[in-house]
């Protein structure tokens, strides 16, 4: 993995107006980079803004504030149609909800081939069919499935169709929003092994949004932890699991269910109480150790540094 | 324990252009009062169809219950009229659907959707129902419930929608709750809260839960018993300890082996090879044979019966036949059988294999 950034996200904000006077700050000032060829895992509480972050990066929403640079170019500044098209092909998204994200009136073949058609990637019908069949096989489905409609598939099967669709246009960056949550573990392993292999073969970069922490740890190079629209901790995957500093990260780690009944019977969870924080000043995102960032106040910063030094 | 539900020889098919999809092919199980039965199994193996069939919620056509009975407190639900079923659904039987977006009405405020059932089934007044809604939303961990109940589903995140669905299902204190991937969309902390909540309610009301999930960590946490499904059948069933510490079916081995453990990031995940069988023309013999490294010749010919492992534990694999060769599960699975947390009892049971 290089240290060259593919994406730079700078002070990104996404605020939704939900009433005349009420605003939800779904994403509230994110700063982070995603390196070329890496998998960046994004985890955090339900509703903390992970999907919104992904959707804003890929420009499904206009950002309220802030910038996203892709290969050094400002994504949100683009207006030119052909440039937009090129960019759309580079970045693809696999959606969280395999039910809502597939058009129920389209055959699987056409769902998968839609992007190839838009970007003129196939020359004739025969080639189109072949590519669709290859893709179906790649994601562990059957050629026969090409002629069926989404409602004829189970949840997990639909998610694999979504993955095939994203892969169809040969993107360089994929935002995978909980791509495996709807899959059973054996298919999860297949898909994760597949994503890793595709990453090696095609030098793909991933933003991997998930809440299954054991899988995130397994697939990610670095992991960012979000809480209420903000990034509270960011570190190498191993470092984060070994030396979590932010209490929210600790509570997440303590809640991972393990496939071991005896362990589960005696599990102890660590609860996060946001009011336990030092409130003497606004917390900032600070580098506590090499490439280990935590949202903290000056007092907490000193405290965390000492904590890291003792391990 | 008193038997609440008894499913006998259930067969469900879908009539489609391509032919008859044999989604459920002879399923038997019981659920007792106060217990949690987890159903795990590959995507497409028939978990949702089985439970929707219990609730008589499959659209007919294309769905068809070909055979079998579903005895709930002794009454065969498969024989009830839609009107009779409506009285039971949302009261004695309640279901959390796998798909939170389509189980909520997008044009109706979230609060009203929860109130609906309370007013209809619990005969609450509007004021009572509203108070109960606030209580339920807080119970499932939705902050700021007062203003949230006035919002529409699309204004909620995936996980928040899921919590609303959980709140609706719990609203009526059902005798049997069927929860289809109820926590799949949730982060682990909220998931833990919801699981605790479901367990607490279960303890109070002695209700039974059928819990469908593919997260084996969650299974280990909630289940008393586990049924493993493959290609429309239950291939192994037992107590949670039977399944995790003494699994017998190669498909169950595959499931356990494909979970990553937290300290082994570099080992390749064990993935079951191949893809699920075509349910229009299910293979002859053992449906798992083509993907099974341990398949015997007989697997291609004849379907294995359920072999008894112990009073609580049954598995449908020819490997349990007295003439079958001695076969050990793969190393990665044996490691997991010893318990990820290396617990003492896990060790002793794991060694028996
Ligand atoms: N279109 C929208 N309009 C108004 N509010 C929205 C909209 N989309 C999201 N939100 C709000 O923004 C916040 C973040 O939502 P988001 O979907 O990004 O969460 P998430 O981290 O992906 O959660 P989950 O793990 O549950 O999917 C939530 O409070 C949600 O209610
Ligand atoms: N309306 C339908 N028409 C045709 N086939 C269907 C229909 N609904 C489900 N099926 C088929 O029935 C089988 C069982 O599906 P089911 O939804 O029960 O799977 P599942 O075990 O719940 O999977 P998942 O874990 O992905 O949710 C699948 O092969 C599916 O393709
Ligand atoms: Mg989301
Ligand atoms: Mg299902």
């Amino acid at each position: 993995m290089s240290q060259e950034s593919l994406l730079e996200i700078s002070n990104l904000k996404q605020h939704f107006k939900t009433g005349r006077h009420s605003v939800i700050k779904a994403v509230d000032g994110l700063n982070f980079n995603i390196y070329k060829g890496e998998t960046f895992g994004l985890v955090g509480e339900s509703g903390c803004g992970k999907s919104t972050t992904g959707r804003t990066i890929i420009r499904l929403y206009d950002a309220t504030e802030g910038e996203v640079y892709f290969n050094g170019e400002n994504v949100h500044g683009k207006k030119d149609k052909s440039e937009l098209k090129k960019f759309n092909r580079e970045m693809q998204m696999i959606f969280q909800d395999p039910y809502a994200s597939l058009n129920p009136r389209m055959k699987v073949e056409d769902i998968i081939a839609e992007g190839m058609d838009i970007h003129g990637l196939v020359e004739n019908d025969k080639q189109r069919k072949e590519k669709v069949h290859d893709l179906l096989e790649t994601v562990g489905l059957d050629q026969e499935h090409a002629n069926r409609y989404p409602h004829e598939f189970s949840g997990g099967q639909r998610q694999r169709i979504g993955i095939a669709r994203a892969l169809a246009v040969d993107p360089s960056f994929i935002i995978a929003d909980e791509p495996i949550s709807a899959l059973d573990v054996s298919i999860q392993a297949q898909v994760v092994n597949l994503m890793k292999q595709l990453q090696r073969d095609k030098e793909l970069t991933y933003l991997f949004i998930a809440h299954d922490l054991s899988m995130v740890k397994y697939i990610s190079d670095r992991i960012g932890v979000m809480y209420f629209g903000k990034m509270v901790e960011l570190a190498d995957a191993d470092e984060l699991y070994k030396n979590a500093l932010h209490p929210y990260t600790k509570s997440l780690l303590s809640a991972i269910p393990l496939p071991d009944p005896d362990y589960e019977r005696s599990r102890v969870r660590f609860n996060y109480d946001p009011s336990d924080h030092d409130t003497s000043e606004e917390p900032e995102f600070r580098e506590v150790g090499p490439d280990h960032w935590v949202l903290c106040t000056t007092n907490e910063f000193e405290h965390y540094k000492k904590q890291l030094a003792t391990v | 324990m008193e038997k609440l539900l008894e499913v006998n020889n259930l067969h469900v098919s879908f009539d489609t252009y391509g032919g008859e999809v044999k989604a459920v092919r002879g399923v038997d199980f019981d659920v007792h009062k106060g217990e949690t039965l987890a159903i795990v199994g590959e995507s497409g193996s028939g978990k949702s169809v089985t439970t929707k069939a219990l609730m008589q919620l499959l659209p007919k056509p294309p769905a068809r219950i070909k055979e079998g009975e579903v005895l709930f407190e002794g009454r065969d639900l498969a024989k009830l009229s839609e009107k009779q079923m409506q009285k039971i659904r949302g009261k004695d039987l309640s279901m959390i659907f796998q798909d939170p977006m389509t189980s909520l009405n997008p044009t109706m405020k979230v609060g009203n959707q929860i109130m609906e059932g309370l007013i209809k089934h619990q005969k609450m007044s509007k004021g009572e129902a509203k108070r109960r809604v606030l209580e339920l939303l807080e119970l499932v961990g939705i902050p700021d419930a007062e203003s949230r109940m006035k919002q529409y589903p699309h204004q909620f995140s995936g996980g928040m929608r899921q919590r609303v669905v959980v709140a609706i299902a719990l609203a009526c204190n059902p005798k049997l709750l069927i929860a289809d991937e109820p926590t799949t969309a949730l982060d682990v902390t909220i998931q833990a809260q919801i699981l605790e909540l479901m367990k607490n309610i279960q303890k109070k009301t002695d209700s039974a839960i059928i819990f469908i999930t593919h997260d084996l960590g969650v299974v280990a946490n909630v289940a008393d018993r586990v049924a493993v499904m493959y290609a429309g059948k239950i291939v192994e069933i037992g107590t949670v300890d039977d399944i995790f510490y003494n699994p017998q079916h190669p498909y169950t081995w595959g499931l356990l082996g494909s979970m990553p453990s937290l300290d082994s990031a570099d080992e390749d995940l064990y993935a079951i090879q191949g893809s699920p069988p075509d349910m229009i023309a299910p293979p002859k013999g053992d449906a798992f044979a083509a993907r099974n490294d341990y398949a015997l010749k007989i697997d291609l010919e004849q379907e294995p019966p359920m072999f008894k492992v112990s009073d609580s534990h049954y598995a449908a694999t020819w490997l349990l036949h007295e003439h079958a060769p001695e076969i050990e599960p793969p190393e990665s699975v044996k490691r997991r059988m010893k318990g990820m947390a290396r617990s003492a009892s896990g060790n002793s049971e794991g060694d028996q294999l």
Side-chain angles (χ1 to χ4, degrees):
Chain A
M1 188 185 71
S2 71
Q3 290 284 38
E4 195 185 333
S5 291
L6 181 66
L7 269 110
E8 287 164 51
I9 287 121
S10 147
N11 192 32
L12 192 69
K13 291 189 184 174
Q14 184 64 57
H15 295 180
F16 294 109
K17 268 214 170 71
T18 52
R20 217 175 309 158
H21 302 289
S22 55
V23 167
I24 290 184
K25 298 181 177 174
V27 174
D28 201 25
L30 291 187
N31 292 290
F32 66 100
N33 293 357
I34 300 178
Y35 301 137
K36 267 200 180 116
E38 82 165 332
T39 299
F40 187 98
L42 192 58
V43 301
E45 185 163 67
S46 163
C48 71
K50 302 180 297 293
S51 296
T52 306
T53 301
R55 286 161 170 267
T56 309
I57 289 176
I58 204 169
R59 263 193 4 214
L60 281 171
Y61 300 140
D62 283 326
T64 308
E65 218 182 296
E67 275 94 42
V68 175
Y69 293 92
F70 184 76
N71 269 327
E73 293 178 69
N74 187 348
V75 170
H76 288 257
K78 289 235 174 338
K79 293 281 177 287
D80 182 283
K81 251 211 177 121
S82 69
E83 268 191 75
L84 276 180
K85 202 166 149 185
K86 182 184 123 235
F87 168 79
N88 284 345
R89 193 184 151 189
E90 293 280 336
M91 267 198 208
Q92 286 290 312
M93 184 143 177
I94 301 167
F95 291 94
Q96 179 171 8
D97 186 344
Y99 293 86
S101 61
L102 303 178
N103 183 339
R105 275 180 283 279
M106 277 167 80
K107 275 193 188 155
V108 166
E109 174 172 344
D110 299 319
I111 290 174
I112 294 176
E114 196 177 21
M116 302 195 286
D117 296 343
I118 292 172
H119 295 285
L121 302 183
V122 284
E123 272 146 33
N124 52 45
D125 209 44
K126 185 166 165 273
Q127 202 192 2
R128 188 177 186 258
K129 270 212 163 62
E130 273 171 16
K131 276 204 95 169
V132 168
H133 288 171
D134 283 351
L135 286 160
L136 282 171
E137 211 166 281
T138 310
V139 297
L141 289 170
D142 215 85
Q143 295 197 359
E144 314 288 303
H145 291 133
N147 290 316
R148 299 199 195 160
Y149 290 90
H151 75 267
E152 295 176 47
F153 292 90
S154 72
Q157 289 169 324
R158 288 187 218 199
Q159 195 58 304
R160 283 183 270 167
I161 298 170
I163 293 171
R165 171 175 65 184
L167 291 174
V169 296
D170 269 330
S172 61
F173 176 58
I174 293 183
I175 299 178
D177 190 354
E178 313 220 11
I180 54 170
S181 308
L183 308 181
D184 61 276
V185 279
S186 58
I187 309 291
Q188 276 187 4
Q190 277 184 9
V191 171
V192 165
N193 287 347
L194 170 76
M195 283 181 74
K196 280 197 148 183
Q197 183 208 327
L198 289 168
Q199 181 166 48
R200 281 192 298 269
D201 295 351
K202 302 179 193 244
E203 292 172 36
L204 290 171
T205 304
Y206 295 129
L207 173 62
F208 191 92
I209 300 173
H211 55 257
D212 177 344
L213 287 162
S214 38
M215 210 44 110
V216 176
K217 158 100 187 326
Y218 178 75
I219 195 169
S220 304
D221 299 296
R222 292 187 304 145
I223 296 174
V225 181
M226 275 182 83
Y227 187 77
F228 268 101
K230 295 209 156 65
M231 190 84 83
V232 296
E233 189 156 4
L234 194 171
D236 269 9
D238 283 331
E239 168 75 7
L240 191 81
Y241 278 77
K242 268 193 228 119
N243 300 320
L245 293 172
H246 195 280
Y248 178 64
T249 312
K250 287 186 180 166
S251 80
L252 268 186
L253 293 178
S254 78
I256 303 174
L258 292 181
D260 184 342
D262 281 327
Y263 174 79
E264 286 300 323
R265 277 176 209 123
S266 56
R267 91 152 35 250
V268 186
R269 280 204 298 127
F270 171 85
N271 283 318
Y272 175 49
D273 184 352
S275 64
D276 285 348
H277 281 288
D278 172 29
T279 50
S280 58
E281 59 180 43
E282 274 294 300
E284 276 176 39
F285 208 44
R286 295 181 161 94
E287 190 168 13
V288 177
D291 292 318
H292 189 158
W293 296 73
V294 185
L295 185 71
C296 55
T297 62
T298 335
N299 288 339
E300 289 170 334
F301 182 56
E302 293 308 324
H303 175 70
Y304 290 152
K305 271 205 294 202
K306 262 189 226 133
Q307 223 175 307
L308 264 193
T310 59
V311 294
Chain B
M1 263 191 299
E2 204 180 319
K3 214 181 263 184
L4 184 67
L5 178 80
E6 188 178 336
V7 178
N8 293 320
N9 195 28
L10 184 69
H11 288 255
V12 185
S13 284
F14 293 91
D15 296 308
T16 69
Y17 287 128
E20 177 190 340
V21 176
K22 302 180 188 77
V24 176
R25 306 185 299 144
V27 159
D28 301 272
F29 65 90
D30 306 324
V31 182
H32 298 95
K33 263 193 183 161
E35 90 165 333
T36 298
L37 173 74
I39 305 182
V40 299
E42 189 154 52
S43 169
S45 61
K47 306 180 295 292
S48 298
V49 170
T50 299
T51 48
K52 280 187 189 164
L54 309 185
M55 299 276 291
Q56 302 296 321
L57 280 174
L58 291 168
K60 301 177 194 173
R64 178 153 62 89
I65 294 186
K66 281 174 65 180
E67 231 185 297
E69 49 181 17
V70 178
L71 302 175
F72 180 72
E73 298 187 311
R75 266 211 297 183
D76 189 355
L77 298 183
K79 294 208 171 65
L80 296 188
S81 70
E82 175 56 24
K83 214 166 157 198
Q84 287 169 308
M85 265 320 284
Q86 272 177 15
K87 278 199 201 125
I88 297 180
R89 251 186 255 129
K91 190 159 156 277
D92 293 341
L93 279 176
S94 175
M95 180 150 181
I96 299 172
F97 292 95
Q98 187 169 6
D99 167 15
M101 203 48 200
T102 57
S103 46
L104 292 176
N105 179 345
T107 64
M108 198 170 160
K109 287 184 181 152
V110 166
N112 291 350
Q113 303 200 37
I114 310 177
M115 277 163 68
E116 206 178 28
L118 293 171
I119 293 170
K120 195 164 134 204
H121 291 295
Q122 313 266 84
K123 311 270 179 281
M124 284 190 187
S125 73
K126 242 184 132 182
E128 274 173 322
K130 193 183 158 198
R131 269 194 301 280
R132 178 79 178 133
V133 169
L134 287 175
E135 209 178 277
L136 283 164
L137 286 178
E138 247 142 57
L139 215 56
V140 295
I142 292 187
D144 203 9
E146 184 85 49
S147 66
R148 282 292 189 176
M149 68 181 284
K150 293 184 202 115
Q151 291 186 343
Y152 291 92
H154 78 270
Q155 294 173 307
F156 280 52
S157 78
M160 283 155 60
R161 289 200 288 262
Q162 189 63 342
R163 280 182 267 168
V164 171
V165 174
V166 172
I168 292 176
L170 293 177
C172 59
N173 294 328
K175 287 180 186 157
L176 174 64
L177 172 67
I178 298 175
D180 195 349
E181 309 268 8
T183 59
T184 303
L186 305 176
D187 63 282
V188 284
T189 50
I190 304 285
Q191 169 169 282
Q193 274 174 33
I194 299 255
L195 297 181
E196 267 158 40
L197 173 78
M198 287 171 70
K199 279 193 248 178
N200 285 341
I201 291 178
Q202 180 174 39
K203 235 181 256 155
K204 260 188 244 152
T205 59
D206 206 25
S207 54
I209 300 178
I210 297 179
F211 200 111
I212 302 176
T213 177
H214 51 252
D215 187 330
L216 295 175
V218 171
V219 174
N221 182 283
V222 300
D224 299 305
R225 287 191 305 136
V226 184
V228 182
M229 278 190 83
Y230 186 81
K233 296 192 167 181
I234 291 178
V235 295
E236 183 159 5
I237 187 164
T239 65
V240 67
D241 286 8
D242 291 335
I243 301 295
F244 281 85
Y245 299 137
N246 188 22
Q248 298 293 327
H249 199 286
Y251 176 66
T252 313
W253 296 347
L255 278 185
L256 292 173
S258 41
M259 288 284 291
S261 64
L262 282 176
D263 46 62
S264 59
D266 294 330
E267 99 192 52
D268 235 4
L269 287 184
Y270 174 78
I272 299 170
Q273 45 159 347
S275 42
D278 179 4
M279 299 310 288
I280 290 180
K284 194 175 152 199
D286 183 344
F288 187 55
R291 305 170 68 188
N292 182 0
D293 292 335
Y294 308 95
L296 307 171
K297 224 155 102 201
I298 188 170
D299 280 312
L300 302 171
E301 300 295 326
Q302 215 176 322
E303 229 172 312
M306 270 288 186
F307 287 96
K308 181 171 172 176
V309 183
S310 73
D311 281 342
S312 61
H313 188 185
Y314 294 81
T317 164
W318 284 116
L319 292 178
L320 289 171
H321 191 272
E322 52 180 335
H323 297 317
E326 281 291 322
I327 283 181
E328 299 234 324
E331 274 311 311
S332 63
V333 177
K334 277 208 261 181
R335 260 200 309 282
R336 280 171 180 75
M337 281 158 50
K338 286 186 186 143
M340 280 196 161
R342 275 170 283 281
S343 51
S345 84
N347 268 323
S348 61
E349 301 214 6
D351 286 339
Q352 288 169 9
L353 274 158

